[in-house]
Amino acid sequence: MATRLNRLSRWHSVFKRGYSTSADEHKLQRSGKTVNLFTAINQALSLALETDPRAYVFGEDVRFGGVFRCTTGLADRFGKSRVFNTPLCEQGIVGFGIGLAAMGNRAIAEIQFADYIYPAFDQIVNEAAKFRYRSGNQFNCGGLTIRTPYGAVGHGGHYHSQSPEAFFCHVPGLKVVVPRSPHQAKGLLLACIRDPNPTIFLEPKWLYRLAAEEVPEHDYMLPLSQAEVIREGSDITLVGWGAQLSVMEQACVDAEKDGISCELIDLRTLIPWDKETVEASVKKTGRLLVSHEAPVTGGFGAEISASIAERCFLRLEAPVARICGLDTPFPLVFEPFYMPTKNKILDAIKATLNY
Amino acid sequence: MAVWFIRSVNIGHHLKEKLGLLGVLNNSLQHHYCRDPDAISSNSAYIFSIRRFESTKAQQQLHSMYEDDDQNQVLDFPGGRVMLTPEMGFISETPEQRVKCYRVLDDNGQPIMSSSFPEVNKELAIKMYRDMVTLQTMDTIFYEAQRQGRISFYATSTGEEAINIASATALTINDIVVPQYRESGVLLWRGFTMQEFANQCFGNKADNGKGRQMPIHYGSKKLNYFTVSSTIAEQLPQAVGVAYSLKMDRKDACVITYFGDGGTSEGDFHAALNFAAVLDAPVIFFCRNNGWAISTPTSEQFRSDGIVVKGQAYGIRSIRVDGNDALAVYNAVKEAREMAISEQRPILIEALTYRIGHHSTSDDSTKYRSANEIEHWRMVREPVTRFRKWVQWNGWWTEEDESELRSSVRKELLHAIQVAENVEKPPLADLFTDVYDHPPSNLYEQERSLRETIKRHPQDYPPNVPV
């Protein structure tokens, strides 16, 4: 319990500060009200519905506002035939969304928890991902966006904490996007909704209320398949996404006290991923550490590690480190032991430097 | 704890009237069960409970509550009001009678006396018949082509020509078709040419699917026919999404989606029907119950009375039709379309038929069913012959027409195959396009690398794919 409160307060202070950003996007920051993640997402959905009369938001319980309040007020504003509840059936939600998208609509489907996305796996992998290719580009379901809360929440256990991104990263034809903060979430979600490819948008549920940041009220998009260097450094490159970045940033701050200069990259889009940015960074630093909550074996860190080893082998000073979840189902009481914590990351940074 | 109320002091009188209402007020009461043989019908199992009272005081209290004795008492629960019943009864697992099957022509193509239906005119009937024969012939010739090794795979619709053509006839070109894979006749009706069918089967560069899928995986944006995929029943919830789009766009059109008896066991079938009902989607769910899912007969697929009864379970209006009666299928789909669009609701049609052909060229169905059974359906219950009899009976078709049609269709098909066989395959670049709207950088790299490999080892690659 004490650990949880410490974590809460630490994260809260991190998000009040906000993240550093690259110069190009800097002008978008620091304007607008301070809002949290679910409000930023709500703004994005509202803009999507406003700017395209053929956009729809649907899923379990979205009408009253959703279990995380991301869809609050949308049904009142846009009507219950555009923002509506579906029966409790993920394969139906995604299948229905594919059909809706195939007719040129923007189908924004919500899966209540990423832990429950698996009944829709067939529709996502066999249908959505292949819809354009198999039809010779006569048909496509690019208007489909599936949004779903993912990741540890402190007490979620097996079925309210999963990070299933790796399953989808293995499927050509899909895009997988993970925002780290409210400002990022609004821009990336709008980009996903308007991107002409089926996209899965994983929202770090831990940050729904906790993360607070200034978010411009206007309509803006952030680029997909473009990683962002959110902290510059010269000794080691760290790559992550979503909620894990704040943990990694803390490790970078602590490492700096020991004279280690860390470069931190938010991948943002997992597939197709921005190899060029990561490669350029590793060519500079000579070291790479990847961190994610999902179990280490077969996690997306493995793809990044293998690709960078191929591209930067001669430049690497040490093996690529992966600090990830354990190869177990996500535990309840043992969550603090399971998670890739700041100190695990810090230890690995030092070990890599001392290799 | 279950509470049973007695309506009369005279237990014996009530047993005679087959009411078994009891009150249980305290633990000291004994009870036992007995069966009243008169009360039990052959299809139901009603059990009566009897209790012996040890006290009469409670009995009097109960009695006063029910003095006005309104038998039509109603209970309020989420989901609406229900009438209560003091009789415990289970709905039987089988209905007393199977749902009747709508047909209009008898086995000899003669209209059934009491049937009334809007008949199709001569022009329409002839087009229907010609397309049924074309489909039948196309299936025979393409099947042969596969046997000769000219195409890699084929699946016929033999026995289901009436379903294919008649259902297509009842729709307009604006109605969207979301098929399974045994509905190429619908595409034929809409205007897909022999050459286009052949091009897809050969996967040549004229194939609008760009050679990516197995034969018979047709699709046509122009003809509003979604591209076929091998997966079973995945198209059903998608069809609901398509229908919702038509609904929201206020189009004077509906969706029709096809599936077989086997497909109804998939989760997507249940998901789709439920969504369609809840969302008031204008979609016709058309089940081709042809008795077989590869080697699995319907007795191993479900225990319900076919598929039609499942409609009501989801709140969907349904009908069972004779799938080998072209006019019955035409009428049912016409009516379903009208209801789907004007009432904005889904409709379920179960068409009973028989899969005369094998599941596909990878199957030999004589391994699991008798050749006699197949022959019976091919000779006696065949839908094309039956419809021809009706058309001939009307004086609209002669033997000369028949032989002329069959030989010209055959010639056209053989020509189309020959042409398709000689068209080159799609270029290598089509391996990498359309994965996304634009190829991402990893695909550029992979194409580059592959081309280098091809230069080094050209013998590993088919020579008819232009690089």
Side-chain angles (χ1 to χ4, degrees):
Chain A
M1 183 66 177
T3 333
R4 229 178 272 167
L5 282 172
N6 282 344
R7 199 176 180 210
L8 266 169
S9 58
R10 189 182 63 234
W11 284 35
H12 183 66
S13 65
V14 165
F15 284 101
K16 268 174 77 177
R17 269 207 321 277
Y19 281 119
S20 50
T21 56
S22 66
D24 284 345
E25 290 166 19
H26 196 77
K27 56 181 176 287
L28 285 173
Q29 270 284 59
R30 312 289 175 234
S31 65
K33 287 192 337 220
T34 300
V35 297
N36 56 21
L37 184 65
F38 75 76
T39 307
I41 286 169
N42 187 269
Q43 285 182 17
L45 294 173
S46 194
L47 283 162
L49 289 162
E50 196 180 297
T51 53
D52 186 348
R54 294 178 88 227
Y56 300 89
V57 171
F58 52 92
E60 294 155 25
D61 304 297
V62 302
R63 170 109 83 95
F64 89 100
V67 293
F68 290 111
R69 299 200 248 154
C70 294
T71 51
T72 310
L74 298 180
D76 289 337
R77 221 182 124 196
F78 297 99
K80 58 185 168 74
S81 43
R82 292 184 67 199
V83 180
F84 52 93
N85 290 341
T86 61
L88 208 170
C89 179
E90 288 77 13
Q91 68 195 99
I93 290 168
V94 174
F96 171 85
I98 290 170
L100 198 54
M103 296 294 283
N105 301 289
R106 296 199 200 281
I108 308 163
E110 175 176 308
I111 299 294
Q112 198 159 81
F113 284 85
D115 312 58
Y116 312 142
I117 201 166
Y118 308 109
F121 197 72
D122 180 34
Q123 286 283 351
I124 294 168
V125 172
N126 270 335
E127 299 291 308
K130 298 168 172 62
F131 212 80
R132 185 193 292 274
Y133 192 79
R134 75 187 188 197
S135 72
N137 200 21
Q138 293 187 89
F139 299 97
N140 75 76
C141 62
L144 176 67
T145 302
I146 300 169
R147 357 172 338 264
T148 184
Y150 88 97
V153 73
H155 54 273
H158 294 358
Y159 303 114
H160 298 84
S161 318
Q162 290 181 38
S163 299
E165 69 271 8
F167 296 113
F168 302 101
C169 291
H170 193 54
V171 185
L174 294 180
K175 293 197 176 183
V176 177
V177 177
V178 190
R180 67 173 185 269
S181 74
H183 167 258
Q184 290 287 311
K186 180 172 170 177
L188 289 171
L189 179 55
L190 278 166
C192 286
I193 290 169
R194 293 163 179 164
D195 187 274
N197 296 287
T199 313
I200 301 183
F201 188 76
L202 292 151
E203 301 170 355
K205 68 173 85 65
W206 182 239
L207 304 182
Y208 273 142
R209 279 189 308 117
L210 281 176
E213 198 177 30
E214 282 176 13
V215 175
E217 285 194 28
H218 61 260
D219 191 333
Y220 66 94
M221 296 193 285
L222 294 170
L224 299 184
S225 294
Q226 231 184 70
E228 189 183 356
V229 179
I230 61 178
R231 184 192 179 89
E232 286 190 15
S234 53
D235 294 329
I236 181 171
T237 302
L238 279 75
V239 174
W241 48 88
Q244 189 62 7
L245 281 165
S246 69
V247 179
M248 296 166 84
E249 179 141 40
Q250 281 305 302
C252 293
V253 167
D254 281 14
E256 194 164 35
K257 298 188 185 118
D258 291 328
I260 302 172
S261 161
C262 301
E263 180 143 297
L264 180 58
I265 299 179
D266 177 4
L267 205 56
R268 301 203 291 189
T269 300
L270 269 55
I271 52 159
W273 68 283
D274 181 1
K275 289 192 182 114
E276 285 69 34
T277 299
V278 178
E279 187 184 339
S281 173
V282 175
K283 285 201 164 127
K284 183 173 72 167
T285 64
R287 296 173 191 86
L288 175 63
L289 181 151
V290 186
S291 183
H292 56 66
E293 282 179 28
V296 62
T297 298
F300 196 61
E303 155 63 23
I304 299 172
S305 175
S307 286
I308 295 301
E310 274 169 18
R311 290 161 165 254
C312 308
F313 184 71
L314 291 176
R315 176 66 187 92
L316 283 168
E317 303 287 338
V320 176
R322 290 181 296 160
I323 302 302
C324 303
L326 303 176
D327 289 333
T328 68
F330 200 105
L332 181 68
V333 161
F334 307 111
E335 176 170 332
F337 300 88
Y338 168 94
M339 290 291 278
T341 56
K342 177 203 81 172
N343 281 330
K344 282 186 186 173
I345 295 170
L346 196 52
D347 285 353
I349 289 172
K350 291 176 183 165
T352 305
L353 259 89
N354 295 328
Y355 189 75
Chain B
M1 189 169 160
V3 180
W4 300 79
F5 293 92
I6 199 163
R7 287 174 180 251
S8 153
V9 181
N10 190 337
I11 296 175
H13 172 68
H14 264 264
L15 277 179
K16 277 189 198 154
E17 292 186 334
K18 299 175 184 82
L19 288 176
L21 305 169
L22 304 169
V24 173
L25 294 171
N26 59 54
N27 294 336
S28 66
L29 300 168
Q30 296 172 335
H31 51 268
H32 65 273
Y33 295 99
C34 87
R35 286 180 124 168
D36 179 345
D38 292 339
I40 298 172
S41 68
S42 53
N43 279 339
S44 58
Y46 286 79
I47 299 173
F48 292 94
S49 304
I50 300 178
R51 175 181 70 68
R52 278 199 226 115
F53 283 103
E54 302 228 317
S55 141
T56 55
K57 187 179 168 197
Q59 188 187 347
Q60 278 160 1
Q61 279 177 349
L62 286 167
H63 198 55
S64 65
M65 278 173 73
Y66 283 83
E67 216 121 50
D68 15 17
D69 203 36
D70 178 19
Q71 276 206 280
N72 297 323
Q73 283 190 53
V74 164
L75 295 174
D76 222 333
F77 276 109
R81 312 181 82 194
V82 288
M83 276 180 48
L84 74 82
T85 171
E87 289 182 10
M88 181 177 74
F90 288 75
I91 303 170
S92 176
E93 68 277 6
T94 45
E96 292 205 1
Q97 265 189 15
R98 292 194 63 188
V99 170
K100 296 197 173 119
C101 183
Y102 171 61
R103 68 150 46 170
V104 151
L105 297 178
D106 65 19
D107 280 335
N108 284 316
Q110 300 297 299
I112 293 170
M113 282 308 284
S114 54
S115 64
S116 67
F117 57 95
E119 294 190 15
V120 303
N121 63 25
K122 174 180 175 181
E123 194 190 330
L124 200 59
I126 288 176
K127 182 171 194 310
M128 283 172 73
Y129 181 66
R130 291 182 70 98
D131 276 8
M132 285 168 77
V133 170
T134 304
L135 176 61
Q136 194 180 51
T137 312
M138 181 173 88
D139 277 348
T140 309
I141 290 179
F142 277 124
Y143 188 91
E144 270 310 301
Q146 192 279 340
R147 282 296 180 245
Q148 293 166 15
R150 296 163 85 180
I151 56 176
S152 60
F153 175 84
Y154 195 74
T156 67
S157 307
T158 315
E160 300 179 50
E161 294 87 351
I163 285 175
N164 269 250
I165 303 301
S167 65
T169 308
L171 302 165
T172 73
I173 191 65
N174 298 317
D175 300 315
I176 314 278
V177 179
V178 184
Q180 181 65 78
Y181 50 61
R182 224 180 277 285
E183 301 92 20
S184 45
V186 177
L187 198 49
L188 176 70
W189 172 269
R190 291 188 163 199
F192 211 61
T193 64
M194 296 290 104
Q195 195 60 63
E196 287 177 298
F197 281 114
N199 290 337
Q200 196 283 329
C201 287
F202 280 92
N204 63 36
K205 78 164 190 235
D207 169 23
N208 60 14
K210 298 183 189 172
R212 288 159 181 164
Q213 290 207 92
M214 289 164 70
I216 71 130
H217 290 61
Y218 315 111
S220 170
K221 174 97 183 139
K222 192 178 74 168
L223 302 178
N224 280 331
Y225 188 100
F226 273 47
T227 301
V228 170
S229 71
S230 318
T231 52
I232 300 290
E234 268 81 335
Q235 73 279 8
L236 301 178
Q238 294 169 23
V240 181
V242 175
Y244 196 81
S245 179
L246 293 178
K247 177 192 183 73
M248 292 302 294
D249 290 345
R250 293 184 172 30
K251 298 279 193 217
D252 180 20
C254 71
V255 177
I256 189 165
T257 183
Y258 298 85
F259 50 99
D261 39 286
T264 67
S265 297
E266 279 284 359
D268 275 333
F269 167 79
H270 306 280
L273 264 63
N274 197 33
F275 270 60
V278 168
L279 299 175
D280 301 310
V283 50
I284 301 171
F285 289 106
F286 195 108
C287 179
R288 296 177 292 95
N289 182 350
N290 63 20
W292 295 93
I294 308 187
S295 71
T296 307
T298 51
S299 58
E300 289 171 12
Q301 197 64 251
F302 41 71
R303 283 294 147 88
S304 53
D305 171 19
I307 286 91
V308 65
V309 292
K310 298 186 194 206
Q312 193 177 57
Y314 292 104
I316 295 179
R317 197 175 294 167
S318 331
I319 188 171
R320 165 175 279 158
V321 316
D322 178 348
N324 288 359
D325 180 344
L327 290 182
V329 171
Y330 171 78
N331 275 333
V333 175
K334 201 157 193 288
E335 190 62 28
R337 178 183 185 276
E338 177 60 35
M339 290 190 281
I341 296 174
S342 64
E343 297 179 54
Q344 290 291 296
R345 61 166 63 248
I347 307 288
L348 172 66
I349 299 177
E350 176 186 14
L352 298 180
T353 182
Y354 187 84
R355 193 196 77 208
I356 293 176
H358 306 305
H359 166 70
S360 72
T361 47
S362 309
D363 176 49
D364 172 11
S365 62
T366 59
K367 286 189 158 43
Y368 49 81
R369 56 185 189 176
S370 75
N372 286 341
E373 178 186 309
I374 305 170
E375 273 317 287
H376 170 76
W377 283 90
R378 191 193 302 277
M379 301 313 292
V380 178
R381 304 285 301 273
E382 202 275 310
V384 184
T385 311
R386 188 164 157 200
F387 192 60
R388 185 180 76 239
K389 286 178 177 170
W390 182 73
V391 178
Q392 282 178 326
W393 176 76
N394 278 310
W396 299 337
W397 194 255
T398 65
E399 288 302 320
E400 287 85 44
D401 294 327
E402 180 76 13
S403 52
E404 194 272 325
L405 174 66
R406 288 197 182 260
S407 73
S408 74
V409 165
R410 186 181 163 80
K411 218 171 26 200
E412 194 187 338
L413 277 162
L414 290 172
H415 177 73
I417 287 177
Q418 196 188 24
V419 168
E421 202 163 27
N422 290 309
V423 174
E424 63 178 3
K425 300 303 182 198
L428 180 67
D430 276 348
L431 168 56
F432 296 100
T433 54
D434 306 326
V435 181
Y436 297 90
D437 65 317
H438 297 300
S441 60
N442 59 321
L443 286 185
Y444 281 125
E445 282 169 31
Q446 289 174 19
E447 186 175 357
R448 211 168 28 239
S449 166
L450 177 62
R451 286 182 185 282
E452 281 166 24
T453 306
I454 294 169
K455 280 207 191 80
R456 273 197 301 277
H457 307 279
Q459 73 283 359
D460 286 351
Y461 301 98
N464 59 350
V465 176
V467 296

